[in-house]
Amino acid sequence: MTKHRLLAIGLGLGILAGSAFAQTKQPDWSGIEEETMQHFQALLRFDTSDPPGHEAPAAEYLKQVLEREGIAVETLAMDARRPNVVARIKGSGRKRPLLIMAHTDVVNVDPKKWRFPPFSATRDGGYVYARGAVDDKDNLAACLMVMLLLKRLNLPLDRDVIFLAESGEEGSVEYGIAYMVEKHFPKIEAEYALAEGGSVTRKGGKTLFASVQTTEKIPRPLRLVARGPAGHGSVPLRTNAIVHLSQAVAKVAAWQTPLRMNDTTRTYFERLATLSSPEDAARYNGILNPEKAAAIQEYFAEHEPRHYSMLRTSVSPNMIQGGYRINVIPSEVEARLDVRAFPGEDMDRLIDEMQRVINDPAVEIVPREGSRRPPAPPSAIDNEAFRVLEATVRKHYGVVTLPTMSTGATDMSYLRDKGIQCYGIGPLIDFEDGQLGFGAHSDQERILESALHQFVRFHWDAVVALAAAR
Ligand SMILES: [Zn+2]
C-alpha cells in the first residue's frame, strides 16, 4: 500500500471515527453504572482462584445474564468445571467479526493480607476491593455490558461482535484459550480482538498516557544441567558440579543479550520520550545511538529493568537445585532460567550463543519439551483498529496511546498466531496504587469505581467505532 493511500485511509477513518462518536445513539449511562456495578460485584464474588479455577458458577452467571437479554450464548468446556462462554451479536457480515474477551479465573489469594475479604467485592471510599478487580473482571464486566447494550439499542453492525469469557488464563490455558483455538476456532474467529493487557496511567493525579498492548514476549524456559563425578566432601574436586553450575549461572545473568526493536517498541519509546523529562527523553531517543547505547542499556538494567527487558530476549535464573547432604559432592545439579524471547528471536541461535558464553562442557542447556506458546507476530499499529483505539483514548482520557510490548505472556498470543490482530486495553489505574500493593496479582487488589465506569464507556465507543454500520 502506498503512503498516500495510507494517509487517505487514515484521514477517512479519523472523520468516520469522529462521526461514529457523534451519531450513534448513546446509552443512558447513569442507569447503566448501577447495572455495571451489580454485575461486576456478582462476578467478583465467585471465587475463581486458579488453581483450581472452578469457573463454572461465573460462566453460568454470564450465560444467564446474556440469555435473559435474548443473546445467543453457549458454553464450551474441556472440563465441565471450567467452561468458556461464547456469545455473538450478528452484523451484516460486510466486515469480519470483532472479538471482545476476558478471563473469568483469578490468581490465588492470601486472605490474611486483605483488609476486606478477597471475594467480598466491598465498596469503600470510591474503590471496589476484590481479587480480579483489575485482572480481569474489569474487562469481563465491560465486555458483558457492551454486549447487553448492543442488543438493547439494536445497533446495526457491519460485523459480528463475539464475546468470549475464557477460563484458565492464569496458568491452565489447556482449558481456556488453547482449547478454544484448537477445538472451536470458527466460533471465535475474528479480524480484531480486544482483551486485557493495557491500561491508562495516572500519576500524581495527572493522566499521562494509555498503553495498548500490541505484542508480547514469549516464554521459552531453559534448564542448565551441570554434571561431574560424585565424591566425598572431605576431598574437594575441581569438577564439582555445583561450582560449575554457579559459574554458569553467574555468566548467564551478566550476559547482555543482543538489543532488539520492532515497530511497537520503537514507537513506544518515541512517544514515551515526548512525555518525559529531558534526561529520560534523551535516553529513550538514544537507544539506537551507537555512542550512547552502552550507557543507556546500563542505566535501564539498573533503574528501569522493564525497559531493559523490552529491548531484548531476557534471561533470569529463578530456581537452583543441587546436593542432598553436606558430605557428598553431587554428580548432577540444575538451574532453571526464565527466558522471555523477543518476538521473532531465533532460539537455536540464542542457545548456541549462550553455550559460548558459559564456555563449559560440563554444563548442558536443555530446552523445555512439550506444549509451547506460539511465537505470534506483533499486531499492526497502522491499521483501523489501532487508530480507533487511539482516537477513543483521546476522547475519553485526553492522552496519547503508547503501543506496548508486555514482558509477560497473555492469551492473545494464541489468537495472534491464528492471524487475529489483538489489542490489550484496560481502565485507568493510579501509578501509586501499584506501589501500595493494590495491583494485579498483588497482596490486595482494587479498582476505582469511576475508572470502571469510564472504561465501560471507552469500551463501548471503541466497539461501536469498529463494528457499527456505516
Ligand atoms: Zn489477566
Side-chain angles (χ1 to χ4, degrees):
M1 201 180 285
T2 66
K3 259 208 176 118
H4 285 111
R5 194 159 142 62
L6 266 176
L7 183 66
I9 292 172
L11 288 170
L13 268 171
I15 294 159
L16 284 173
S19 64
F21 291 148
Q23 284 166 11
T24 311
K25 31 182 176 177
Q26 285 287 322
D28 164 21
W29 288 112
S30 57
I32 283 153
E33 292 195 354
E34 203 181 313
E35 187 182 359
T36 301
M37 186 53 67
Q38 209 181 317
H39 290 314
F40 184 54
Q41 285 184 300
L43 290 165
L44 290 169
R45 285 171 182 152
F46 295 109
D47 178 353
T48 52
S49 304
D50 186 4
H54 194 50
E55 297 91 342
E60 184 56 32
Y61 177 87
L62 291 165
K63 183 164 177 279
Q64 282 178 15
V65 171
L66 290 160
E67 273 175 350
R68 214 185 302 142
E69 206 74 24
I71 298 170
V73 51
E74 60 186 325
T75 49
L76 300 158
M78 189 176 87
D79 176 329
R81 288 166 297 184
R82 315 205 60 180
N84 303 281
V85 182
V86 180
R88 181 183 293 252
I89 293 179
K90 297 285 285 180
S92 68
R94 211 168 72 74
K95 296 177 181 168
R96 292 163 58 216
L98 167 66
L99 172 68
I100 56 176
M101 75 171 199
H103 59 89
T104 46
D105 62 330
V106 296
V107 289
N108 299 97
V109 293
D110 177 356
K112 291 192 300 293
K113 303 237 165 86
W114 288 70
R115 187 167 146 224
F116 303 107
F119 299 101
S120 65
T122 302
R123 293 171 72 176
D124 185 73
Y127 291 92
V128 182
Y129 289 78
R131 178 57 90 214
V134 289
D135 181 15
D136 182 33
K137 288 173 176 171
D138 51 339
N139 261 289
L140 189 61
C143 292
L144 177 66
M145 289 311 298
V146 167
M147 292 298 278
L148 300 181
L149 295 174
L150 284 175
K151 179 72 180 173
R152 257 174 234 170
L153 296 187
N154 199 17
L155 202 69
L157 300 175
D158 272 347
R159 54 172 110 233
D160 293 3
V161 177
I162 306 168
F163 168 92
L164 169 61
E166 38 149 13
S167 60
E169 193 274 342
E170 301 290 359
S172 35
V173 289
E174 63 274 24
Y175 299 102
I177 198 68
Y179 168 77
M180 290 303 298
V181 165
E182 272 161 39
K183 304 289 184 197
H184 299 289
F185 187 63
K187 291 185 193 289
I188 57 168
E189 188 167 9
E191 180 173 16
Y192 303 127
L194 302 180
E196 66 176 332
S199 63
V200 177
T201 298
R202 189 167 70 175
K203 197 173 179 182
K206 186 169 185 282
T207 308
L208 296 179
F209 57 83
S211 303
V212 170
Q213 198 254 45
T214 54
T215 185
E216 59 191 57
K217 296 176 84 179
I218 310 133
R220 288 285 180 262
L222 299 173
R223 288 190 303 138
L224 296 183
V225 181
R227 297 183 184 89
H232 199 288
S234 64
V235 184
L237 298 174
R238 291 267 161 96
T239 51
N240 184 318
I242 285 187
V243 174
H244 284 256
L245 182 70
S246 310
Q247 287 165 348
V249 166
K251 285 179 193 164
V252 160
W255 176 35
Q256 189 168 87
T257 53
L259 186 119
R260 305 239 187 274
M261 272 192 156
N262 57 25
D263 280 352
T264 289
T265 55
R266 201 174 296 116
T267 308
Y268 169 86
F269 283 109
E270 273 169 22
R271 291 189 183 176
L272 186 60
T274 67
L275 307 170
S276 302
S277 69
E279 304 81 54
D280 286 339
R283 275 189 288 271
Y284 300 144
N285 287 324
I287 292 167
L288 295 176
N289 180 335
E291 278 158 35
K292 300 181 186 163
I296 292 170
Q297 296 294 309
E298 193 49 37
Y299 182 90
F300 286 163
E302 180 83 23
H303 302 284
E304 297 179 16
R306 195 173 73 92
H307 285 155
Y308 186 78
S309 178
M310 280 172 66
L311 289 167
R312 58 188 19 87
T313 292
S314 59
V315 181
S316 182
N318 294 348
M319 293 173 80
I320 192 156
Q321 284 166 312
Y324 58 95
R325 55 179 296 162
I326 187 65
N327 59 357
V328 174
I329 297 171
S331 58
E332 184 171 319
V333 297
E334 77 166 52
R336 295 203 193 176
L337 309 180
D338 186 355
V339 178
R340 303 294 176 123
F342 193 90
E345 180 71 81
D346 179 342
M347 278 304 290
D348 289 337
R349 221 171 64 188
L350 188 98
I351 289 170
D352 284 350
E353 188 55 36
M354 188 184 284
Q355 195 80 67
R356 270 193 291 278
V357 167
I358 293 171
N359 190 26
D360 183 348
V363 179
E364 185 192 358
I365 303 172
V366 186
R368 184 171 71 179
E369 288 134 32
S371 72
R372 286 146 59 100
R373 270 178 189 269
S379 297
I381 58 171
D382 60 355
N383 63 0
E384 175 193 16
F386 192 75
R387 278 191 290 263
V388 160
L389 291 172
E390 286 181 294
T392 314
V393 161
R394 188 147 308 275
K395 178 189 166 188
H396 285 272
Y397 300 99
V399 292
V400 70
T401 297
L402 307 183
T404 307
M405 177 173 79
S406 50
T407 51
T410 77
D411 281 358
M412 283 185 279
S413 61
Y414 288 86
L415 300 175
R416 290 197 178 110
D417 183 52
K418 299 288 272 184
I420 301 178
Q421 298 284 307
C422 298
Y423 299 92
I425 55 176
L428 179 143
I429 292 176
D430 282 304
F431 174 80
E432 295 81 2
D433 229 37
Q435 296 184 318
L436 292 171
F438 290 110
H441 297 215
S442 290
D443 279 351
Q444 301 186 73
E445 197 173 332
R446 71 180 182 183
I447 189 171
L448 271 171
E449 293 187 12
S450 57
L452 174 71
H453 298 309
Q454 189 179 22
F455 182 57
V456 172
R457 295 193 289 275
F458 165 85
H459 206 300
W460 165 259
D461 271 341
V463 168
V464 166
L466 282 171
R470 299 257 157 74

